[in-house]
Structure formats: structure tokens, C-alpha cells
Amino acid sequence: MTNEELLKIAEKAAENSYSPYSHFRVGAALECSDGSVFTGCNVENCAYGCAICGERTAMVKAVSEGHRDFVRLAVTSPDSVDWAMPCGQCRQFMAEFNLDMDVIIGRQDGQFMILKVRELLPWSFNPDNLP
Ligand code: THU
């Protein structure tokens, strides 16, 4: 699958976003080493702090289905004024599984950039830090 195709799947996933509070829709598509793809969208809550991001939704879906070998994650938002940058919590969540995962970050005009998790979260606290 091309990066463009994975980003398209993320765009489609944003259609399911439940974001009545921020009105900021996010979609994600996570590819695993066996080729399986898990989608995610952000899901908000009237208790605002309970919201979960699109990226973490996709990762949690994958892990709960027995997949941990993440290869690529595409994220985008039809509402972002610029790149749909992953938040700090999502970066930390990615770092748990693969610092070398490619993160494809989209923009409304269809452009995208690709960064490694280790670039998005340098000097991270990750599983290697634990004794
Ligand atoms: N959001 C994501 O889904 N992913 C991110 O990485 C950044 C923020 C969501 C959370 C909330 O529902 C909305 O965007 C506004 O912050």
C-alpha cells in the first residue's frame, strides 16, 4: 500500500469522528507488519478530559486485536489549518511500540510529510528506560 492510500483511509476514518465539542475531526490509519490496517477517529466526551485521539483509537484497536508490530501510521484532519500533528500523548503511545514507525502527517490540501516517532519525540521515555 502506498503512503497516499494509507492517508486516504485515514481521511475516510475522520468521517466517523465524534467531536461535538471541538468540531475538530481526526482520522488515523495504522498499518501492521502483516499488512493489516486499523482505523481510528477521535471520540470526545462531555467530560472533556475523557476524549481519546484518533491515533490512540487506532493503536488501541490494534493491540486489543493482538497486533503490536506497528509499521506506519497516517493521521489527518479535514479541520486542521496546517499539518495534523499528533499530540504529546499520542507520540508517547507510539513510542511504546515502535520508535522507528513512520508517521504520515496529512494536511487539508492533500500534502503529507513523513516523520519517525523518534523524530516526533526525541529523547523519549520508552520501554528501554525501564530496568
Ligand atoms: N486530537 C486527535 O485526535 N489527535 C491529535 O493528535 C490531536 C488532537 C483530537 C482530540 C480532540 O478530540 C480534538 O482533536 C481537539 O483537540
Short mmCIF file of all heavy atoms in Angstrom, two decimals, residues 62-98:
data_model
loop_
_atom_site.label_atom_id
_atom_site.label_comp_id
_atom_site.label_asym_id
_atom_site.label_seq_id
_atom_site.Cartn_x
_atom_site.Cartn_y
_atom_site.Cartn_z
N ALA A 62 -5.80 -1.95 17.50
CA ALA A 62 -4.83 -2.94 17.02
C ALA A 62 -4.36 -3.84 18.16
O ALA A 62 -4.40 -5.07 18.04
CB ALA A 62 -3.64 -2.24 16.36
N VAL A 63 -3.95 -3.22 19.25
CA VAL A 63 -3.42 -4.01 20.38
C VAL A 63 -4.49 -4.95 20.92
O VAL A 63 -4.22 -6.13 21.20
CB VAL A 63 -2.87 -3.08 21.49
CG1 VAL A 63 -2.49 -3.89 22.73
CG2 VAL A 63 -1.65 -2.31 20.98
N SER A 64 -5.70 -4.45 20.99
CA SER A 64 -6.77 -5.29 21.56
C SER A 64 -7.15 -6.43 20.63
O SER A 64 -7.80 -7.38 21.05
CB SER A 64 -8.00 -4.44 21.91
OG SER A 64 -8.57 -3.91 20.75
N GLU A 65 -6.71 -6.32 19.38
CA GLU A 65 -6.95 -7.43 18.44
C GLU A 65 -5.69 -8.28 18.25
O GLU A 65 -5.61 -9.09 17.33
CB GLU A 65 -7.40 -6.88 17.07
CG GLU A 65 -8.73 -6.13 17.09
CD GLU A 65 -9.92 -7.01 17.50
OE1 GLU A 65 -9.93 -8.20 17.15
OE2 GLU A 65 -10.82 -6.50 18.18
N GLY A 66 -4.68 -8.05 19.10
CA GLY A 66 -3.50 -8.90 19.08
C GLY A 66 -2.37 -8.42 18.20
O GLY A 66 -1.43 -9.17 17.92
N HIS A 67 -2.44 -7.16 17.73
CA HIS A 67 -1.39 -6.62 16.85
C HIS A 67 -0.58 -5.55 17.58
O HIS A 67 -1.15 -4.57 18.07
CB HIS A 67 -2.02 -6.01 15.59
CG HIS A 67 -2.70 -7.02 14.73
ND1 HIS A 67 -2.13 -7.52 13.59
CD2 HIS A 67 -3.90 -7.62 14.86
CE1 HIS A 67 -2.96 -8.42 13.05
NE2 HIS A 67 -4.03 -8.49 13.80
N ARG A 68 0.74 -5.74 17.61
CA ARG A 68 1.62 -4.76 18.27
C ARG A 68 2.76 -4.31 17.38
O ARG A 68 3.54 -3.45 17.76
CB ARG A 68 2.23 -5.37 19.53
CG ARG A 68 1.24 -5.75 20.57
CD ARG A 68 1.98 -6.40 21.73
NE ARG A 68 1.02 -7.01 22.64
CZ ARG A 68 1.34 -7.85 23.59
NH1 ARG A 68 2.61 -8.18 23.78
NH2 ARG A 68 0.41 -8.36 24.38
N ASP A 69 2.89 -4.94 16.23
CA ASP A 69 4.03 -4.69 15.35
C ASP A 69 3.65 -3.59 14.36
O ASP A 69 3.33 -3.85 13.20
CB ASP A 69 4.41 -6.00 14.65
CG ASP A 69 5.81 -5.94 14.08
OD1 ASP A 69 6.49 -4.91 14.26
OD2 ASP A 69 6.22 -6.93 13.43
N PHE A 70 3.70 -2.35 14.82
CA PHE A 70 3.24 -1.21 14.02
C PHE A 70 4.32 -0.78 13.03
O PHE A 70 5.48 -0.65 13.39
CB PHE A 70 2.90 -0.02 14.91
CG PHE A 70 1.85 -0.29 15.96
CD1 PHE A 70 1.68 0.60 17.01
CD2 PHE A 70 1.03 -1.40 15.90
CE1 PHE A 70 0.71 0.39 17.98
CE2 PHE A 70 0.06 -1.63 16.87
CZ PHE A 70 -0.10 -0.74 17.91
N VAL A 71 3.91 -0.52 11.81
CA VAL A 71 4.86 -0.14 10.75
C VAL A 71 4.69 1.32 10.33
O VAL A 71 5.65 2.08 10.22
CB VAL A 71 4.70 -1.06 9.52
CG1 VAL A 71 5.59 -0.61 8.38
CG2 VAL A 71 5.01 -2.50 9.90
N ARG A 72 3.43 1.70 10.07
CA ARG A 72 3.14 3.06 9.59
C ARG A 72 1.83 3.53 10.19
O ARG A 72 0.90 2.74 10.32
CB ARG A 72 2.96 3.08 8.06
CG ARG A 72 4.23 3.18 7.26
CD ARG A 72 3.91 3.38 5.78
NE ARG A 72 3.11 2.28 5.23
CZ ARG A 72 2.65 2.25 3.99
NH1 ARG A 72 2.90 3.24 3.16
NH2 ARG A 72 1.94 1.22 3.56
N LEU A 73 1.76 4.81 10.47
CA LEU A 73 0.50 5.38 10.94
C LEU A 73 0.25 6.69 10.20
O LEU A 73 1.12 7.58 10.19
CB LEU A 73 0.56 5.63 12.46
CG LEU A 73 -0.76 6.06 13.11
CD1 LEU A 73 -0.80 5.61 14.57
CD2 LEU A 73 -0.97 7.57 13.08
N ALA A 74 -0.90 6.77 9.56
CA ALA A 74 -1.28 8.01 8.86
C ALA A 74 -2.30 8.74 9.71
O ALA A 74 -3.19 8.11 10.31
CB ALA A 74 -1.87 7.69 7.49
N VAL A 75 -2.16 10.05 9.79
CA VAL A 75 -3.12 10.86 10.56
C VAL A 75 -3.42 12.13 9.78
O VAL A 75 -2.53 12.73 9.16
CB VAL A 75 -2.58 11.17 11.98
CG1 VAL A 75 -1.23 11.87 11.96
CG2 VAL A 75 -3.59 12.00 12.77
N THR A 76 -4.70 12.50 9.80
CA THR A 76 -5.08 13.71 9.09
C THR A 76 -6.37 14.28 9.68
O THR A 76 -7.06 13.59 10.44
CB THR A 76 -5.23 13.44 7.58
OG1 THR A 76 -5.31 14.69 6.89
CG2 THR A 76 -6.44 12.58 7.27
N SER A 77 -6.63 15.53 9.35
CA SER A 77 -7.86 16.17 9.82
C SER A 77 -8.37 17.11 8.74
O SER A 77 -7.62 17.95 8.24
CB SER A 77 -7.58 16.96 11.10
OG SER A 77 -8.69 17.80 11.38
N PRO A 78 -9.66 17.00 8.41
CA PRO A 78 -10.22 17.94 7.44
C PRO A 78 -10.38 19.34 8.03
O PRO A 78 -10.70 20.27 7.30
CB PRO A 78 -11.59 17.33 7.11
CG PRO A 78 -11.94 16.51 8.30
CD PRO A 78 -10.65 16.03 8.88
N ASP A 79 -10.14 19.47 9.32
CA ASP A 79 -10.35 20.75 10.00
C ASP A 79 -9.06 21.45 10.42
O ASP A 79 -9.10 22.54 10.99
CB ASP A 79 -11.23 20.53 11.24
CG ASP A 79 -12.53 19.84 10.87
OD1 ASP A 79 -13.18 20.31 9.91
OD2 ASP A 79 -12.87 18.84 11.50
N SER A 80 -7.94 20.81 10.16
CA SER A 80 -6.67 21.39 10.60
C SER A 80 -6.24 22.52 9.65
O SER A 80 -6.34 22.38 8.43
CB SER A 80 -5.60 20.31 10.62
OG SER A 80 -4.40 20.83 11.12
N VAL A 81 -5.77 23.61 10.23
CA VAL A 81 -5.31 24.71 9.38
C VAL A 81 -3.94 24.40 8.77
O VAL A 81 -3.54 25.03 7.80
CB VAL A 81 -5.25 26.06 10.15
CG1 VAL A 81 -6.63 26.51 10.55
CG2 VAL A 81 -4.34 25.96 11.36
N ASP A 82 -3.25 23.45 9.36
CA ASP A 82 -1.93 23.08 8.84
C ASP A 82 -1.77 21.57 9.03
O ASP A 82 -2.75 20.85 9.02
CB ASP A 82 -0.84 23.89 9.57
CG ASP A 82 0.42 24.03 8.72
OD1 ASP A 82 0.69 23.16 7.89
OD2 ASP A 82 1.15 25.02 8.92
N TRP A 83 -0.56 21.10 9.20
CA TRP A 83 -0.32 19.66 9.39
C TRP A 83 -1.12 19.16 10.60
O TRP A 83 -1.21 19.86 11.61
CB TRP A 83 1.16 19.40 9.64
CG TRP A 83 2.06 19.94 8.58
CD1 TRP A 83 2.88 21.02 8.70
CD2 TRP A 83 2.24 19.45 7.26
NE1 TRP A 83 3.55 21.23 7.52
CE2 TRP A 83 3.18 20.28 6.62
CE3 TRP A 83 1.69 18.38 6.54
CZ2 TRP A 83 3.58 20.08 5.30
CZ3 TRP A 83 2.09 18.17 5.24
CH2 TRP A 83 3.02 19.02 4.62
N ALA A 84 -1.64 17.94 10.48
CA ALA A 84 -2.39 17.33 11.59
C ALA A 84 -1.40 16.67 12.55
O ALA A 84 -1.26 15.44 12.60
CB ALA A 84 -3.39 16.31 11.05
N MET A 85 -0.70 17.50 13.30
CA MET A 85 0.37 16.98 14.16
C MET A 85 -0.19 16.15 15.33
O MET A 85 -1.14 16.58 15.99
CB MET A 85 1.18 18.15 14.74
CG MET A 85 1.91 18.98 13.70
SD MET A 85 2.96 18.03 12.57
CE MET A 85 4.22 17.40 13.67
N PRO A 86 0.40 15.00 15.59
CA PRO A 86 -0.05 14.19 16.72
C PRO A 86 0.28 14.87 18.06
O PRO A 86 1.34 15.49 18.20
CB PRO A 86 0.78 12.91 16.59
CG PRO A 86 1.33 12.91 15.22
CD PRO A 86 1.45 14.34 14.80
N CYS A 87 -0.61 14.75 19.01
CA CYS A 87 -0.39 15.35 20.33
C CYS A 87 0.67 14.57 21.10
O CYS A 87 1.09 13.48 20.70
CB CYS A 87 -1.70 15.40 21.11
SG CYS A 87 -2.14 13.84 21.89
N GLY A 88 1.09 15.15 22.20
CA GLY A 88 2.15 14.54 23.01
C GLY A 88 1.79 13.16 23.54
O GLY A 88 2.62 12.25 23.55
N GLN A 89 0.55 13.02 23.96
CA GLN A 89 0.13 11.71 24.49
C GLN A 89 0.18 10.64 23.41
O GLN A 89 0.59 9.51 23.66
CB GLN A 89 -1.31 11.81 25.01
CG GLN A 89 -1.40 11.87 26.52
CD GLN A 89 -2.84 11.76 26.99
OE1 GLN A 89 -3.69 12.52 26.55
NE2 GLN A 89 -3.09 10.83 27.88
N CYS A 90 -0.23 11.00 22.20
CA CYS A 90 -0.19 10.03 21.10
C CYS A 90 1.25 9.68 20.73
O CYS A 90 1.56 8.53 20.43
CB CYS A 90 -0.95 10.56 19.89
SG CYS A 90 -2.74 10.57 20.16
N ARG A 91 2.12 10.68 20.76
CA ARG A 91 3.54 10.40 20.47
C ARG A 91 4.11 9.42 21.50
O ARG A 91 4.86 8.50 21.16
CB ARG A 91 4.35 11.70 20.48
CG ARG A 91 3.95 12.64 19.37
CD ARG A 91 4.69 13.96 19.43
NE ARG A 91 3.98 14.96 18.64
CZ ARG A 91 4.53 16.01 18.07
NH1 ARG A 91 5.83 16.24 18.21
NH2 ARG A 91 3.80 16.86 17.37
N GLN A 92 3.78 9.63 22.76
CA GLN A 92 4.25 8.73 23.81
C GLN A 92 3.70 7.32 23.59
O GLN A 92 4.40 6.33 23.77
CB GLN A 92 3.80 9.26 25.19
CG GLN A 92 4.26 8.42 26.36
CD GLN A 92 5.78 8.41 26.52
OE1 GLN A 92 6.45 9.41 26.27
NE2 GLN A 92 6.32 7.27 26.91
N PHE A 93 2.46 7.25 23.19
CA PHE A 93 1.81 5.96 22.95
C PHE A 93 2.49 5.23 21.79
O PHE A 93 2.72 4.03 21.84
CB PHE A 93 0.33 6.20 22.63
CG PHE A 93 -0.59 5.14 23.14
CD1 PHE A 93 -1.16 5.23 24.40
CD2 PHE A 93 -0.90 4.05 22.34
CE1 PHE A 93 -2.01 4.24 24.86
CE2 PHE A 93 -1.75 3.06 22.79
CZ PHE A 93 -2.32 3.15 24.05
N MET A 94 2.86 5.99 20.75
CA MET A 94 3.58 5.40 19.61
C MET A 94 4.94 4.87 20.05
O MET A 94 5.38 3.80 19.64
CB MET A 94 3.79 6.45 18.52
CG MET A 94 2.54 6.95 17.84
SD MET A 94 2.95 8.41 16.81
CE MET A 94 1.32 9.11 16.55
N ALA A 95 5.61 5.67 20.91
CA ALA A 95 6.97 5.33 21.34
C ALA A 95 6.99 4.01 22.11
O ALA A 95 8.01 3.33 22.15
CB ALA A 95 7.55 6.45 22.21
N GLU A 96 5.89 3.67 22.70
CA GLU A 96 5.79 2.40 23.43
C GLU A 96 6.01 1.21 22.50
O GLU A 96 6.57 0.19 22.89
CB GLU A 96 4.41 2.29 24.08
CG GLU A 96 4.16 1.01 24.86
CD GLU A 96 4.93 0.97 26.16
OE1 GLU A 96 5.35 2.03 26.65
OE2 GLU A 96 5.12 -0.16 26.67
N PHE A 97 5.56 1.37 21.24
CA PHE A 97 5.53 0.22 20.34
C PHE A 97 6.61 0.23 19.27
O PHE A 97 7.13 -0.82 18.92
CB PHE A 97 4.13 0.10 19.71
CG PHE A 97 3.07 -0.16 20.75
CD1 PHE A 97 2.25 0.86 21.22
CD2 PHE A 97 2.95 -1.42 21.30
CE1 PHE A 97 1.31 0.62 22.20
CE2 PHE A 97 2.01 -1.68 22.29
CZ PHE A 97 1.18 -0.65 22.75
N ASN A 98 6.93 1.40 18.72
CA ASN A 98 7.95 1.41 17.67
C ASN A 98 8.48 2.83 17.42
O ASN A 98 7.83 3.62 16.73
CB ASN A 98 7.38 0.84 16.37
CG ASN A 98 8.41 0.73 15.28
OD1 ASN A 98 9.60 0.98 15.51
ND2 ASN A 98 7.98 0.36 14.08
#
